Amino acid sequence: MTVADDASVPPTLAASRLREAGDLPGAIALLRQAGDAPDVAHMRLRLLFEIQDYAALQQATREAIRRLDPATVVPAHHYPATLLHFAELCCLPLEEIEAVILALGAASRQHAPLRQAWYAVRHRQRFRTWLRDRFEGGASFISLGLNCLPWHLPCRWGLRREEDFVALFVPFALAGHTVPGVLAALEDDFAGYCDPGAIRIVRTRRGHSMAVRADRTAHWNHHRGPYWLQRDAAPMRDNLAAKAALFRDACRRPDAVFLLAACPVQYPEEKLDFLAHLDAALARFTGRAGNRILITNNAARQRPAELHVVDAGTCFAYCPYPAADYVWHEDAHADTPAGLAFERTYADQVTRALTKWGLMRRKPGAAA
């Protein structure tokens, strides 16, 4: 008898054991049959995120919102806050996110951590409403790294279209890169990007196994553990090959905008020496020069938040983290007033760049 067949083993424990053994699909399948208890629902969403099945994650989040019963919510459980955050991450329509905000309103008043998440999500969705009411247009946001921020923040703030949560999930979305690593991947069309001979498996400070390029120009921190790294990281390499195909398709969109964050350059005092190289590398995919690129420096905290027009296709923005110890991808930081102010600054810089490029226009008669 396997763990999955043993009725005496709680489903979340059985799923955890399957996950540890490298069987993420089996763990998810088990949870799918185990009902909708908060522990089960929470773990299923987390594992769908871990296996990066974003179409299934989007659908599962939508279904969880529909099933949510305000009368049975346990405010102190981690599931309600997780559901709020996944509704944003999955780029669900505004009315569906508003539904979960409404359903969790009473519960949020009973537990401080849930209340912080609830207020933060409501704040971000009010910006989304403001944007919808005043502007028309948009863009296909394609992440170039250098961290995961250009993937996550457009999702949180309603800038990314619902269908693009799956269609624009490209290799740079959930990984860490250097500029040379991005350029090398583009120049050989990802041919040697994660070749077995180019990667090493290392142990992180928290004890996780993770793949990195031997030249340290890329690391895949969202492909950790036995599922992704078995058989010389074959599942990870297959996943990245599929994302590379999405990247090629995305680059052909006429409204493509490339987002590159965590750039250490302090422009205009320092030159963006890599820019011409980057645009030429992108032109191989887009078929055109002068590609729209928004570059942000997030570490220069002494610089005011401002947008610089570098050339007709490039904008550079300062969008500093609020503190040296700020961790943008941790909800406990992102949902604070300082975190919301930082993220709003980033969203504003994105919309300003779109306006300059003519991709976003104020609606006739809209209030300022």
Side-chain angles (χ1 to χ4, degrees):
M1 177 184 294
T2 66
V3 170
D5 296 326
D6 188 350
S8 67
V9 177
T12 52
L13 177 57
S16 293
R17 291 175 179 174
L18 288 171
R19 174 182 176 271
E20 291 167 5
D23 187 6
L24 270 177
I28 293 166
L30 185 154
L31 294 172
R32 190 179 297 115
Q33 303 298 321
D36 300 318
D39 283 345
V40 171
H42 177 265
M43 189 173 189
R44 184 183 171 205
L45 292 181
R46 297 301 308 177
L47 293 188
L48 286 170
F49 176 78
E50 184 174 342
I51 205 172
Q52 300 185 31
D53 187 344
Y54 273 17
L57 176 61
Q58 197 175 54
Q59 185 59 30
T61 303
R62 172 173 281 120
E63 292 171 354
I65 292 172
R66 290 172 182 164
R67 292 193 301 266
L68 188 62
D69 182 356
T72 63
V73 170
V74 180
H77 197 280
H78 38 246
Y79 176 58
T82 295
L83 188 56
L84 280 164
H85 289 130
F86 272 111
E88 288 185 312
L89 172 68
C90 292
C91 306
L92 295 186
L94 181 59
E95 59 272 15
E96 294 187 43
I97 299 179
E98 288 178 338
V100 72
I101 291 173
L102 179 62
L104 294 174
S108 71
R109 293 189 287 272
Q110 302 173 40
H111 188 64
L114 176 58
R115 182 164 59 252
Q116 177 171 282
W118 187 87
Y119 274 107
V121 173
R122 189 180 69 165
H123 179 91
R124 288 188 283 260
Q125 296 314 303
R126 284 180 172 176
F127 169 82
R128 188 176 178 182
T129 301
W130 175 86
L131 201 65
R132 179 199 63 189
D133 292 345
R134 288 164 177 78
F135 293 90
E136 56 190 5
S140 297
F141 296 109
I142 304 171
S143 175
L144 295 177
L146 299 172
N147 59 17
C148 308
L149 186 151
W151 172 254
H152 284 293
L153 294 200
C155 295
R156 283 184 189 167
W157 287 79
L159 295 167
R160 196 182 303 282
R161 304 175 184 119
E162 180 184 354
E163 60 273 19
D164 288 348
F165 181 63
V166 175
L168 300 186
F169 193 24
V170 300
F172 307 118
L174 290 187
H177 290 81
T178 63
V179 169
V182 172
L183 292 172
L186 296 175
E187 286 175 342
D188 75 352
D189 193 13
F190 299 96
Y193 177 57
C194 57
D195 184 82
I199 64 176
R200 303 287 184 270
I201 306 301
V202 301
R203 183 75 65 176
T204 69
R205 284 180 293 179
R206 294 187 178 183
H208 301 294
S209 295
M210 182 177 71
V212 303
R213 279 189 57 91
D215 60 10
R216 294 302 194 266
T217 59
H219 64 270
W220 295 281
N221 52 314
H222 285 269
H223 291 86
R224 296 185 307 222
Y227 170 76
W228 289 113
L229 302 179
Q230 59 186 303
R231 306 189 311 279
D232 289 329
M236 182 191 84
R237 289 185 282 110
D238 290 344
N239 175 266
L240 291 170
K243 289 177 180 173
L246 292 177
F247 183 85
R248 296 182 195 102
D249 289 341
C251 286
R252 291 194 286 270
R253 295 190 182 190
D255 65 348
V257 168
F258 297 93
L259 302 178
L260 189 152
C263 176
V265 175
Q266 296 205 32
Y267 180 86
E269 294 87 348
E270 298 174 347
K271 294 182 179 180
L272 296 165
D273 293 331
F274 63 87
L275 182 57
H277 197 171
L278 176 60
D279 186 51
L282 289 172
R284 300 176 184 181
F285 294 86
T286 64
R288 57 186 178 271
N291 291 282
R292 304 180 197 92
I293 307 170
L294 173 61
I295 302 167
T296 57
N297 180 322
N298 305 108
R301 293 190 306 282
Q302 303 307 313
R303 304 295 294 254
E306 57 183 328
L307 185 75
H308 298 266
V309 177
V310 180
D311 56 41
T314 311
C315 289
F316 179 97
Y318 285 100
C319 183
Y321 297 132
D325 60 350
Y326 180 78
V327 183
W328 72 267
H329 54 83
E330 290 189 3
D331 294 332
H333 289 220
D335 289 346
T336 63
L340 290 169
F342 158 70
E343 292 190 0
R344 173 62 189 265
T345 298
Y346 183 83
D348 284 341
Q349 303 292 34
V350 171
T351 57
R352 288 185 187 121
L354 294 190
T355 300
K356 291 182 181 297
W357 290 323
L359 293 173
M360 183 173 285
R361 300 162 299 280
R362 187 174 292 276
K363 290 181 177 179

